[in-house]
C-alpha cells in the first residue's frame, strides 16, 4: 500500500468543459522509494530535475478562476515520470541535467513496475476519470497541461522565452492560444519551445490526441513563478488569455 495518494484533485465537480493537469506538481519522494530522497541532496530536489517549479500554484490559481477541475501529481518526476508512456526509456530517469540519481541507478523491471502501479497509473486514472466524467455529461473537455521550464539547461545558452505552447497534431486550442499570447507585447512566446510537444505516449497524447479532445501544454519559465507572487500573477495573467483562446476554439468547432 503506497504511503500517500498519487494525485491531488481539486474542483472534482467543476466545469466539465475544461480540465487542468499538472504532471510535475511536486518534488515529494514517498518514504518507501529509495529511502524517501533518492539519495539526492535537498538542493537537487528543489531544482527542475525533481519537479516543475511553480507549476502547481499556477494550476491551482487557474482552476479556481475557471471553476474547473484539476488533477495534480503528488510525487517527484524522478520517482516516475507521469508525462512519459509506460514503455518510454526515460520513465525512470537515472541522469538528469548533470545529476546522477543514486536511487534510480539500479532500478530493475520489477521496481519500475511497482512504481508504475503505485504512482503512474493512479495519476493517469484520475485524469481519465475526470475526462470521462465530462464526456458522460455531454461535454467536449479541453485539456490544459501546466508545466514550467528552467532558464538554462545542460549548459546551453539561456532560453529566451517567457512562455511556450506545446502541441502535436491538434492545433484547435494551441493555435488560438499562441495568437492570444502574442498580443502580449512584453512576452517572448515559444511555439513548441523550449522543446517539441510531439511525443507519442506522453500525457496529452494519452488523454487528448488519442481521444480526439482539444488540448495544449503551457510552459512558463520557472524563474517567473518560483514564488507565490509570481504564481498568482501568472494565473491572473493567463486567465483572460486562456478564456479568449477557448472561446475562439469553440467558435471554430461549432
Amino acid at each position: 500500500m503506497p504511503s500517500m495518494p498519487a494525485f491531488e484533485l481539486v474542483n472534482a465537480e467543476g466545469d466539465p468543459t475544461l480540465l487542468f493537469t499538472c504532471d510535475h506538481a511536486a518534488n515529494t519522494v514517498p518514504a518507501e522509494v529509495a529511502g524517501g530522497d533518492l539519495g539526492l541532496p535537498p538542493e537537487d530536489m528543489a531544482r527542475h530535475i525533481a519537479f516543475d517549479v511553480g507549476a502547481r500554484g499556477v494550476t491551482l490559481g487557474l482552476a479556481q478562476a475557471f471553476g474547473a477541475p484539476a488533477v495534480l501529481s503528488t510525487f517527484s518526476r524522478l520517482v516516475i515520470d507521469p508525462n512519459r508512456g509506460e514503455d518510454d526509456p526515460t520513465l525512470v530517469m537515472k541522469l538528469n541535467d548533470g545529476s546522477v540519481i543514486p536511487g534510480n541507478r539500479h532500478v530493475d523491471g520489477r521496481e519500475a513496475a511497482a512504481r508504475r502501479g503505485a504512482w503512474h497509473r493512479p495519476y493517469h486514472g484520475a485524469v481519465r476519470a475526470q475526462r470521462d466524467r465530462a464526456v458522460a455529461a455531454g461535454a467536449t473537455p479541453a485539456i490544459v497541461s501546466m508545466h514550467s521550464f528552467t532558464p538554462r539547461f545542460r549548459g546551453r545558452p539561456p532560453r529566451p522565452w517567457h512562455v511556450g505552447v506545446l502541441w502535436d497534431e491538434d492545433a484547435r486550442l494551441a493555435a488560438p492560444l499562441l495568437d492570444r499570447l502574442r498580443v502580449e507585447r512584453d512576452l517572448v512566446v515559444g511555439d513548441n519551445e523550449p522543446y517539441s510537444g510531439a511525443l507519442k505516449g506522453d500525457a496529452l497524447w494519452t488523454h487528448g490526441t488519442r481521444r480526439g479532445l482539444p488540448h495544449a501544454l503551457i510552459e512558463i519559465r520557472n524563474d517567473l513563478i518560483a514564488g507565490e507572487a509570481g504564481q498568482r500573477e501568472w494565473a491572473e495573467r493567463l486567465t483572460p488569455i486562456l478564456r479568449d483562446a477557448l472561446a475562439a476554439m469553440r467558435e471554430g468547432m461549432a
Side-chain angles (χ1 to χ4, degrees):
M1 175 71 70
S3 60
M4 51 181 259
F7 61 89
E8 176 184 6
L9 174 61
V10 300
N11 293 342
E13 301 301 320
D15 181 359
T17 67
L18 181 60
L19 172 60
F20 291 101
T21 64
C22 190
D23 302 325
H24 303 141
N27 60 354
T28 305
V29 179
E32 64 270 31
V33 176
D37 62 6
L38 294 169
L40 287 170
E43 55 267 29
D44 268 344
M45 291 305 299
R47 295 201 299 133
H48 66 278
I49 65 169
F51 72 128
D52 280 1
V53 175
R56 178 179 179 272
V58 179
T59 304
L60 293 176
L62 287 168
Q64 181 179 16
F66 282 91
V71 181
L72 308 94
S73 69
T74 60
F75 55 93
S76 172
R77 70 200 301 171
L78 296 178
V79 173
I80 193 164
D81 193 336
N83 197 32
R84 296 291 184 272
E86 290 196 7
D87 59 350
D88 193 296
T90 64
L91 186 64
V92 178
M93 292 289 288
K94 299 185 178 183
L95 175 69
N96 195 330
D97 199 12
S99 292
V100 173
I101 317 303
N104 290 345
R105 289 182 65 183
H106 303 296
V107 168
D108 58 15
R110 182 174 180 178
E111 172 64 15
R115 295 188 192 183
R116 280 196 300 270
W119 314 108
H120 193 277
R121 289 176 182 168
Y123 172 78
H124 284 283
V127 176
R128 185 166 53 250
Q130 283 298 309
R131 181 197 70 195
D132 292 350
R133 175 188 75 91
V135 172
T140 300
I143 303 174
V144 178
S145 184
M146 299 303 302
H147 290 248
S148 71
F149 65 94
T150 180
R152 299 186 71 101
F153 188 63
R154 294 179 179 172
R156 296 171 185 165
R159 291 161 158 175
W161 311 283
H162 299 101
V163 62
V165 176
L166 276 57
W167 61 285
D168 183 10
E169 302 171 9
D170 186 344
R172 285 178 291 175
L173 178 54
L177 182 54
L178 283 164
D179 288 344
R180 181 59 180 80
L181 282 166
R182 288 170 177 148
V183 172
E184 306 290 306
R185 300 182 65 87
D186 61 326
L187 294 182
V188 179
V189 179
D191 181 352
N192 270 322
E193 299 289 359
Y195 48 84
S196 172
L199 179 60
K200 186 175 181 179
D202 71 0
L204 279 185
W205 181 89
T206 298
H207 300 290
T209 304
R210 196 166 66 168
R211 290 294 299 265
L213 298 175
H215 55 274
L217 189 155
I218 299 176
E219 288 268 6
I220 305 170
R221 206 178 67 207
N222 69 19
D223 60 317
L224 303 174
I225 55 172
E228 291 183 5
Q231 294 161 28
R232 286 194 301 271
E233 177 184 340
W234 270 86
E236 291 170 1
R237 183 169 194 172
L238 285 173
T239 294
I241 292 171
L242 183 56
R243 200 180 302 279
D244 288 350
L246 287 165
M249 178 201 76
R250 289 165 182 152
E251 182 177 351
M253 291 170 58

